[in-house]
Amino acid sequence: MARRDQTQQETAAPPLGIGMVGYAFMGAAHSQGWRTAGHVFDLPMRPVLAAICGRDRTAVEAAAGRHGWAAAETDWRALIARDDVQLVDICTPGDSHAEIAVAALEAGKHVLCEKPLANTVGEARAMAAAAERAVGRGRTAMVGFNYRRVPALAHARRLIAEGRIGALRHIRAAYLQDWLVDPASPLTWRLKKEHAGSGALGDLGAHVVDLAQFLAGEPLVAVSALSETFVRERPLPAGPSGGLGGGAVAGGLGAVTVDDAAVFTGRLASGALASFEVTRMAAGRKNALRLEINGERGSLAFDLERLNELSFHDHTEPATTAGFRRILVTEPEHPYLEAWWPPGHTLGYEHTFVHQARDVIHTIAEGAPPVPSFADGLQVQRVLAAVEESAAKNSVLTPVPL
């Protein structure tokens, strides 16, 4: 087991001061990861929750108390300037990622930035360049694609890399949610292009594009897409100046300026084909992320709603016994599982952020290349931009009557 006495660990491991910008959904998830990692894994550095930042003083102080942060700031520049912060964790909307990340790296801080890396390719390119310059100063920058840290998906990557399913033929990916089905749902920041960059495409598509490339071990090189906004106006939420925080409705309607759904096909560098569907309008689907990878020698399938399981088909077996079999990914030999519970005792969504914190700390302590890096985030951003461009240009062909 990788656990050890916490007092002993605190004595042996040097501290790594964490400063986090943002305190809502992702802020809570990242706080859980930083707070827990050192209690589970034998880490080379000890994460210290130094300061959390948000614009609303009352709200950020409440978040600091709830999630265990030692201090609260209302200006991210002040957070970056703190001597007790060595790593800046960015959990804000995409429109602020580039400014905060570049400033933090230039100030000599390590950076973890939530996905998607930015709202535009230009912003992502500037962030990747800043990360490359920071390497020479011994600083690292990583993107928060947390689903890479699901043990079953990490195990799938290992099996593919080992050649267990042979040369890839197809990847199918779908990420379906339903939180926008009701047209009375208020207009939040996620529905405004200037804040979010895109809709379901950036929010959900970033994850499945990254996972497809991660599992395949190669990039997407071509895409063709369609997208749609089904509800083009939504009620304005209550808040300062009709702010976009959600909650109660203030009255009046505002324009939705991002996609509700996108479907696209793609080609990987090897010639394998991929298909993607992302939507926040699939009634009954709460967080349904599903992947299937077909190769010349077998297939793998994963469903986030059963995240401790991986389905594996070995096509080299005789037809009389071949078929998909269920792998329960809870053995200590599986990725990340050596530090957790006995076999059969399952993990959940929040553990991906614990694993992410573990990986960030090891990367910093060992001076290893970050995975996924800002360059990886830039590659995903290029794919998202190509999908948007294709969807904007794609003409609809009318089938020829029989």
Side-chain angles (χ1 to χ4, degrees), residues 65-156:
R66 184 165 56 252
H67 299 305
W69 294 87
E73 299 280 0
T74 57
D75 185 339
W76 59 262
R77 295 170 185 84
L79 179 130
I80 289 175
R82 292 178 65 108
D83 292 336
D84 59 350
V85 169
Q86 289 84 51
L87 181 145
V88 175
D89 185 358
I90 304 169
C91 297
T92 59
D95 58 329
S96 60
H97 285 187
E99 185 179 14
I100 299 172
V102 171
L105 289 167
E106 290 180 347
K109 311 294 184 178
H110 305 286
V111 172
L112 172 64
C113 183
E114 255 302 320
K115 50 59 58 183
L117 185 61
N119 280 359
T120 68
V121 170
E123 291 172 348
R125 188 180 293 116
M127 294 170 73
E132 183 64 26
R133 292 193 299 270
V135 170
R137 301 190 297 272
R139 297 298 177 261
T140 193
M142 188 179 290
V143 191
F145 285 114
N146 67 296
Y147 290 132
R148 289 191 181 207
R149 319 300 183 184
V150 174
L153 287 171
H155 187 47

Side-chain angles (χ1 to χ4, degrees), residues 208-268:
V208 290
V209 166
D210 179 68
L211 284 175
Q213 296 182 137
F214 166 63
L215 292 171
E218 57 182 283
L220 284 158
V221 296
V223 295
S224 178
L226 293 169
S227 66
E228 185 57 69
T229 304
F230 299 110
V231 179
R232 296 184 176 272
E233 290 186 320
R234 290 186 178 272
L236 292 170
S241 304
L244 298 174
V249 173
L253 297 175
V256 175
T257 53
V258 297
D259 58 278
D260 284 329
V263 293
F264 53 103
T265 55
R267 185 183 299 277
L268 293 160

Side-chain angles (χ1 to χ4, degrees), residues 16 45 86-87 110-111 138 140 359-368:
L16 178 69
M45 305 180 78
Q86 289 84 51
L87 181 145
H110 305 286
V111 172
T140 193
D359 289 351
V360 171
I361 290 169
H362 273 282
T363 297
I364 292 170
E366 297 162 12

Side-chain angles (χ1 to χ4, degrees), residues 279-295:
T279 181
R280 300 186 291 205
M281 300 285 278
R285 298 299 182 189
K286 302 304 177 184
N287 200 38
L289 189 161
R290 298 172 181 176
L291 293 150
E292 183 170 319
I293 306 97
N294 307 127

Side-chain angles (χ1 to χ4, degrees), residues 136-324:
R137 301 190 297 272
R139 297 298 177 261
T140 193
M142 188 179 290
V143 191
F145 285 114
N146 67 296
Y147 290 132
R148 289 191 181 207
R149 319 300 183 184
V150 174
L153 287 171
H155 187 47
R157 170 60 191 146
R158 180 185 293 173
L159 293 173
I160 292 169
E162 291 172 352
R164 293 295 297 275
I165 65 171
L168 298 187
R169 299 293 188 240
H170 308 282
I171 294 181
R172 299 179 192 84
Y175 201 165
L176 316 177
Q177 296 180 347
D178 73 353
W179 62 277
L180 287 178
V181 168
D182 184 356
S185 294
L187 187 74
T188 71
W189 69 265
R190 291 186 182 276
L191 304 180
K192 302 294 289 183
K193 188 172 182 62
E194 65 267 28
H195 296 297
S198 61
L201 178 62
D203 187 16
L204 309 180
H207 275 303
V208 290
V209 166
D210 179 68
L211 284 175
Q213 296 182 137
F214 166 63
L215 292 171
E218 57 182 283
L220 284 158
V221 296
V223 295
S224 178
L226 293 169
S227 66
E228 185 57 69
T229 304
F230 299 110
V231 179
R232 296 184 176 272
E233 290 186 320
R234 290 186 178 272
L236 292 170
S241 304
L244 298 174
V249 173
L253 297 175
V256 175
T257 53
V258 297
D259 58 278
D260 284 329
V263 293
F264 53 103
T265 55
R267 185 183 299 277
L268 293 160
S270 64
L273 301 180
S275 64
F276 303 86
E277 179 184 5
V278 293
T279 181
R280 300 186 291 205
M281 300 285 278
R285 298 299 182 189
K286 302 304 177 184
N287 200 38
L289 189 161
R290 298 172 181 176
L291 293 150
E292 183 170 319
I293 306 97
N294 307 127
E296 62 178 344
R297 300 179 65 243
S299 295
L300 292 162
F302 172 79
D303 182 345
L304 184 63
E305 294 177 350
R306 305 177 70 173
L307 61 72
N308 294 277
E309 300 178 18
L310 184 66
S311 295
F312 174 50
H313 168 65
D314 185 345
H315 203 63
T316 66
E317 291 185 7
T320 53
T321 57
F324 276 96

